[in-house]
Amino acid sequence: MKKNGILNSHISKVLADLGHTDYIVIADVGLPVPDGVPKIDLALTYGVPSFRDVVHVISEDMAIEQITIAEEMVAQNQDTFLYMQQKFDHIPLLKCSHEEFKRYSQQAKVIIRTGESRPYANCILHAGVHFGTAAR
């Protein structure tokens, strides 16, 4: 049994398999999942687990070099937008239209569906590279 980190075996495997520039989507309950893109459905009920909870846990275990959100989040879900800005103040935060966001999601390695029911609570996490501090 794992001692720490993400316990969900599906998410843990996806993160371990990511390469540089691969990306995953963390989605609210309403984001459509394109045919052929795997979905890990964490939604238990509306709001559980929250978008923030899932983003926080995954960001602790993933090297992220860039984040993409829908520009509609800025005006229609300001709390989530402010959370993303503050949490990832050291990572580039790109914006695109929601329609473009849905097109990008077609190439995601996985879409992780949360129970979030606020609009536009979706993000694309682009994998970076972590070379660690192993002794040489």
Side-chain angles (χ1 to χ4, degrees):
M1 179 174 204
K2 279 186 75 165
K3 186 175 175 180
N4 52 39
I6 293 176
L7 299 178
N8 182 291
S9 62
H10 302 290
I11 295 173
S12 188
K13 176 160 180 26
V14 166
L15 295 182
D17 288 345
L18 288 176
H20 186 224
T21 74
D22 287 340
Y23 58 88
I24 66 171
V25 174
I26 301 176
D28 60 27
V29 296
L31 188 74
V33 177
D35 290 339
V37 177
K39 174 177 73 172
I40 298 173
D41 195 344
L42 302 178
L44 298 174
T45 188
Y46 287 106
V48 179
S50 72
F51 174 80
R52 288 182 188 195
D53 287 343
V54 175
V55 167
H56 174 75
V57 170
I58 289 176
S59 68
E60 293 294 309
D61 212 23
M62 179 181 174
I64 302 169
E65 74 174 14
Q66 176 180 301
I67 298 169
T68 303
I69 60 169
E71 58 197 10
E72 289 86 347
M73 181 193 285
V74 177
Q76 297 186 41
N77 192 343
Q78 290 180 342
D79 288 343
T80 300
F81 175 65
L82 291 174
Y83 167 77
M84 295 297 287
Q85 277 190 311
Q86 291 167 359
K87 176 143 186 74
F88 300 109
D89 63 347
H90 59 290
I91 297 174
L93 183 65
L94 305 178
K95 299 176 202 78
C96 64
S97 72
H98 187 60
E99 289 306 311
E100 194 173 6
F101 186 97
K102 290 189 286 187
R103 283 193 296 277
Y104 287 143
S105 72
Q106 295 173 356
Q107 301 303 314
K109 293 294 181 181
V110 71
I111 294 180
I112 300 171
R113 182 175 177 247
T114 70
E116 189 63 60
S117 59
R118 291 181 288 174
Y120 304 105
N122 307 295
C123 68
I124 298 172
L125 302 179
H126 302 261
V129 177
H130 179 72
F131 289 109
T133 57
R136 296 172 197 230

